[in-house]
Amino acid sequence: MRGPGGGTPLRRLVVLRHAKSAWPDGVPDHERPLAPRGRRDAPAAGRALAETGSVPDLALCSTAVRARRTWELAAAEWDTPPPVRFDPRLYGADVPEILDVVHETPADVETLLLVGHNPGLEELVLDLAGDGLDDALDEVRLKFPTSAVAVLAWYGPDWRALTPGTALLTSMTVPRGEKPHPSKS
């Protein structure tokens, strides 16, 4: 979609916080796996992105195990998953570091998915959003929990043009997978 007068394209940055992780003893933070709830919620996030037409052209993902597994489970819900780049700079990154990675995105990518961690992702959404639809900004300010998905839209010639305050936060959702039903014996 092109901007007013057919100019610059509409771009979307889809921000996905990794699903709920486990805290096993003796496992370094980077290697922490998903918890059972995370293994349920990550596919729900993928389904939610498909249902809203937010399947990306490219994904950028932290190298942490919990982020990679969130990506794998979400992307498995799509007919044709996009290419993914696992970037170690996204692990533990703050807003300027995240934006450095995002700004390297090729100009032909119109929808970009970012899979990573808090507090960086929550701060990124709040920094980039100059405004929001409905109560999306208030929801992010309140909490950006695991598996949260924020969609930011903006017009720009390339990803380097994405700067604080230039995007519209169009939605914030927290997809949840169904809990297993207790078996009847």
Side-chain angles (χ1 to χ4, degrees):
M1 175 183 262
R2 295 278 167 185
T8 58
L10 174 67
R11 298 183 185 280
R12 290 183 301 169
L13 177 62
V14 180
V15 179
L16 170 60
R17 184 176 173 200
H18 67 76
K20 182 74 175 172
S21 60
W23 293 84
D25 288 339
V27 174
D29 184 73
H30 189 273
E31 305 307 312
R32 288 178 25 228
L34 291 180
R37 189 179 94 196
R39 292 191 300 271
R40 291 190 309 268
D41 292 349
R47 288 189 298 275
L49 291 174
E51 289 165 6
T52 61
S54 297
V55 173
D57 303 315
L58 174 67
L60 301 175
C61 184
S62 162
T63 55
V65 169
R66 60 193 179 275
R68 292 175 69 105
R69 190 69 179 132
T70 298
W71 156 253
E72 291 164 359
L73 292 170
E77 297 295 318
W78 307 327
D79 292 335
T80 308
V84 60
R85 294 183 186 160
F86 297 101
D87 195 315
R89 296 175 294 172
L90 294 174
Y91 174 69
D94 62 16
V95 172
E97 293 166 325
I98 296 169
L99 278 175
D100 284 347
V101 176
V102 168
H103 287 163
E104 295 171 4
T105 302
D108 63 336
V109 172
E110 292 187 1
T111 300
L112 176 66
L113 173 64
L114 186 60
V115 183
H117 313 270
N118 259 4
L121 291 185
E122 178 179 335
E123 293 168 357
L124 177 75
V125 171
L126 294 173
D127 279 3
L128 293 177
D131 201 358
L133 297 181
D134 302 320
D135 58 354
L137 268 173
D138 290 335
E139 289 179 37
V140 174
R141 285 184 190 113
L142 181 64
K143 188 173 185 186
F144 196 66
T146 55
S147 299
V149 178
V151 180
L152 295 147
W154 60 286
Y155 290 99
D158 59 37
W159 288 91
R160 290 182 307 272
L162 179 60
T163 57
T166 59
L168 174 69
L169 180 61
T170 61
S171 68
M172 198 296 241
T173 58
V174 185
R176 295 290 186 221
E178 289 189 33
K179 293 181 181 177
H181 295 92
S183 58
K184 297 177 181 174
S185 11

